[in-house]
Amino acid sequence: MFGRNAVYELLKAHKRTVNKIMISKTARGNTISEIISIAKQKGIAVHSVPPEKLDKFSQQSQGIAAEVSPIVYLDILDLIKKAKQSPKSLLVILDGIEDPHNLGAIIRNCVAFGADGVIIPKWRAVSVNETASKSSAGAIEHIPISKVSNLNQAITLLKDNNFWIAGAENGSQTLGTIDLPFPLAVIIGSEGFGLHDLTKKNCDYLISISQKNTISSLNASCASAVILYELFKIRR
């Protein structure tokens, strides 16, 4: 894992095993000092290394890298059970997001606006990797994520557990004019194609964002921010 905020949030979250941290000899700043302090408290080895050693792994390391255990995906049933502990449960389903930067940004939005979990497909979509983690600024450490083999089977399972399904679809009913019920799962479609046809058919609602017609639509991460903010105002 690379990046100052990503490593900092990793240490704060206490969710994954950190074997060691490598910090460039030229790295400075408050976040670096905080990371070193937390690592010492946890007994994690910190190695001071030449900057070129980190450059071999990533040109965007920001002078720090952590050797960490893989992210643990939560079983879909466990995610549903955990989410339903919230008074107005909200899950976010990602339908074919392929850009790890978008994935990281959307997960960051989910954490910022209080979503209870994220569901991603196992196939034809990006998984949580180092780029997504860095793009989320470490937010992936603070929200449960489930990876499912079949997205539409997961939607059926959500419906069986009394979740309503709302898909983000440009040109549909405008968000804010619909009284969306909870518990709710919102689906964000892929960058180029939006929602898959079968996914769209399985939605109880199709929602869009009110905007001028200067551009066709917002990208997936920007759209998710607007939608999640509007739902945040309803849920708080």
Side-chain angles (χ1 to χ4, degrees):
M1 177 183 287
F2 305 99
R4 298 186 181 198
N5 286 333
V7 174
Y8 178 63
E9 296 299 334
L10 169 74
L11 293 174
K12 283 173 56 182
H14 312 289
K15 289 172 64 177
R16 294 200 268 169
T17 301
V18 182
N19 297 320
K20 66 178 179 181
I21 296 173
M22 293 181 289
I23 298 177
S24 168
K25 291 180 179 178
T26 60
R28 300 289 186 274
N30 292 335
T31 304
I32 292 292
S33 298
E34 285 285 336
I35 289 170
I36 292 172
S37 176
I38 296 172
K40 286 182 177 178
Q41 293 173 21
K42 294 177 176 292
I44 299 168
V46 177
H47 301 274
S48 180
V49 300
E52 56 268 21
K53 183 170 182 177
L54 295 179
D55 290 341
K56 290 180 181 178
F57 299 105
S58 172
Q59 293 296 317
Q60 289 82 41
S61 68
Q62 298 179 322
I64 188 165
E67 185 181 286
V68 60
S69 62
I71 186 170
V72 177
Y73 293 103
L74 197 63
D75 179 80
I76 182 67
L77 286 172
D78 292 334
L79 180 65
I80 291 171
K81 182 179 179 180
K82 185 177 180 67
K84 291 186 77 172
Q85 295 174 5
S86 172
K88 292 183 178 179
S89 308
L90 176 63
L91 294 174
V92 176
I93 302 171
L94 305 184
D95 183 16
I97 298 295
E98 297 178 341
D99 185 341
H101 295 93
N102 270 343
L103 176 61
I106 293 170
I107 291 174
R108 188 176 186 183
N109 294 336
C110 289
V111 173
F113 297 117
D116 297 304
V118 178
I119 299 169
I120 62 175
K122 186 175 182 180
W123 311 111
R124 296 187 296 277
V126 67
S127 297
V128 176
N129 57 24
E130 291 175 354
T131 302
S133 177
K134 187 172 183 296
S135 297
S136 79
I140 64 165
E141 307 298 335
H142 298 288
I143 191 167
I145 302 172
S146 181
K147 182 189 279 190
V148 297
S149 298
N150 188 304
L151 205 59
N152 287 289
Q153 287 181 4
I155 291 171
T156 299
L157 187 60
L158 285 163
K159 288 185 174 184
D160 290 342
N161 282 272
N162 301 316
F163 274 80
W164 296 86
I165 312 297
E169 178 75 3
N170 191 37
S172 302
Q173 290 179 280
T174 305
L175 182 66
T177 63
I178 314 170
D179 187 15
L180 290 171
F182 293 89
L184 179 69
V186 173
I187 310 176
I188 307 295
S190 67
E191 297 90 350
F193 304 100
L195 300 177
H196 286 92
D197 288 340
L198 183 56
T199 305
K200 195 185 303 184
K201 288 178 182 177
N202 283 327
C203 290
D204 300 303
Y205 302 90
L206 291 175
I207 57 175
S208 65
I209 300 165
S210 178
Q211 63 183 70
K212 292 184 177 181
N213 293 325
T214 309
I215 56 173
S216 58
S217 63
L218 298 173
N219 70 25
S221 62
C222 291
S224 73
V226 176
I227 291 169
L228 290 170
Y229 173 67
E230 290 298 323
L231 293 174
F232 170 75
K233 291 191 294 183
I234 298 170
R235 296 173 72 221
R236 64 181 177 179

